Amino acid sequence: MTTIYNFSAGPAVLPKEVLQQAAAEMLDWQGSGMSVMEMSHRGPEFISIYRAAESDLRELLAVPDNYRILFMQGGGLSQNAVIPMNLVGRKGPDATIDFVHTGSWSGKSIKEAARYAKVNVAASAEASGYTAVPPQSEWRLSPDAAYLHLCTNETIDGVEIDFAPDVPAGVPIVADMSSHILSRQVDVSRYGLIFGGAQKNIGPAGVTVVIVRDDLIGHALPVCPSAFDFKNVAGNESMYNTPPTYGIYIAGLVFQWLKKNGGVAAMEQRNIEKARLLYAALDADDFYQNRVAPQYRSRMNVPFYLRDESQYEAFLAGAKARGLLQLKGHKSVGGLRASIYNAMPIEGVQALVDYLNEFAGR
Ligand SMILES: Cc1ncc(COP(=O)(O)O)c(C=O)c1O
């Protein structure tokens, strides 16, 4: 049988060992006689699953003690509203939120935040067609913003911000790390809040991870639904309402798999090597094109185009025949895209590179 490699941007490939363990435990989790899906979230079995997941994630990202880890619902998009509803209250009715507009996802965040506060687009990559991060020297940051929002990995545009910028004193950085969390080492203490939908590097869709500093909790606007008030979520171990229990269980297995495989530092080394291999094949001649400035190319999401536009269907059919799946680009930008998250082995990237070379007649 052909080995399958799944390059979906999300929901995305999960480690095979994780899926095998979940399958083995599906009907009876560790002698409990229950599937994890059937357990009360308040029972000792699920509480132990939850606490292990929380503490493993804390260890993997070296999350300091003054940050809470929340497992919420609603995905990355709802955080575009949930975060302003929780954070702008600190600054009163005239609060401003700063944004750097680097692509599709930060664009969506800007639109949503404008419903809750004044928005200042401190810098925009629009002029470059979202192929680079505007130089920090050109960012016009507000001195007293409620926070600065960055999408540190633009999943559609393939642009990654690989640094935590300097910001005016007291302005927290909020980072949408949906598509590269756990793929590289980050200094959590440089951020006020990190969030991400799970369905790329963490687990199944339906879990949204929020890592938030203590002092940013407890300022929710009255309009904020109580189930999305960070104070309620943090004060109840993410169980103010029923959490996405099965998704948290799978995320926990992914965290264990990461720890077994050397943690985030080892993943980062693997991801550097995978990205190097793939970009080298795309850059070998002008048969393929990745438009992102090399310095800002994402290690996780690699959009690319064919010089000859009439060949997309043939490319995708040939890829599928070789077990290389879900390479179609996002509908808003067209072309092709390979997402090479933590769970994509280097063999999968090599198989794609072999096919890229074959299709280009090299
Ligand atoms: C960077 C980024 N932010 C936000 C989202 C939206 O996440 P969700 O679909 O979970 O709401 C996505 C989805 O792909 C994403 O890639």
Side-chain angles (χ1 to χ4, degrees), residues 74-78 105 151 153-155 176 178-179 197 199-200:
L77 274 193
S78 35
W105 291 111
C151 176
N153 190 63
E154 289 279 5
T155 321
D176 176 356
S178 292
S179 48
Q199 66 271 24
K200 295 144 197 317

Side-chain angles (χ1 to χ4, degrees), residues 16-248:
K16 196 163 260 130
E17 298 92 310
V18 164
L19 295 178
Q20 283 164 341
Q21 186 174 342
E25 294 178 340
M26 174 60 80
L27 297 180
D28 178 7
W29 181 79
Q30 298 193 2
S32 66
M34 294 179 280
S35 170
V36 174
M37 268 183 264
E38 303 170 307
M39 289 173 184
S40 164
H41 56 298
R42 310 220 181 269
E45 296 91 352
F46 183 74
I47 299 269
S48 75
I49 290 170
Y50 174 86
R51 290 196 176 142
E54 199 270 353
S55 96
D56 285 341
L57 180 57
R58 189 173 285 280
E59 182 184 328
L60 283 163
L61 287 175
V63 177
D65 288 345
N66 61 327
Y67 286 73
R68 304 275 73 79
I69 297 178
L70 316 178
F71 291 90
M72 300 181 68
Q73 310 201 41
L77 274 193
S78 35
Q79 288 300 320
N80 287 337
V82 169
I83 293 168
M85 282 193 284
N86 275 279
L87 262 55
V88 299
R90 286 164 62 244
K91 293 291 174 185
D94 292 328
T96 298
I97 308 171
D98 279 357
F99 282 86
V100 178
H101 189 184
T102 44
S104 306
W105 291 111
S106 49
K108 288 198 177 185
S109 302
I110 291 167
K111 278 206 187 111
E112 189 77 14
R115 301 170 64 178
Y116 301 95
K118 278 187 226 130
V119 155
N120 169 44
V121 179
S124 172
E126 189 179 0
S128 75
Y130 305 107
T131 56
V133 178
Q136 260 191 93
S137 56
E138 293 171 14
W139 296 12
R140 284 190 234 288
L141 298 174
S142 315
D144 196 30
Y147 60 91
L148 165 66
H149 177 116
L150 304 173
C151 176
T152 47
N153 190 63
E154 289 279 5
T155 321
I156 294 175
D157 307 272
V159 172
E160 186 162 10
I161 301 179
D162 64 351
F163 58 90
D166 293 324
V167 284
V171 175
I173 303 172
V174 167
D176 176 356
M177 295 195 182
S178 292
S179 48
H180 73 162
I181 190 165
L182 293 165
S183 74
R184 63 188 310 143
Q185 292 179 284
V186 289
D187 178 356
V188 173
S189 72
R190 298 291 305 273
Y191 300 87
L193 186 151
I194 290 169
F195 73 99
Q199 66 271 24
K200 295 144 197 317
N201 251 340
I202 292 181
V207 179
T208 312
V209 168
V210 176
I211 302 171
V212 55
R213 210 173 59 212
D214 282 337
D215 61 291
L216 301 177
I217 297 173
H219 312 281
L221 299 176
V223 70
C224 182
S226 47
F228 288 103
D229 181 336
F230 292 153
K231 190 171 170 201
N232 291 335
V233 184
N236 291 278
E237 279 197 295
S238 301
M239 297 187 209
Y240 180 76
N241 65 332
T242 313
T245 52
Y246 198 76
I248 292 170

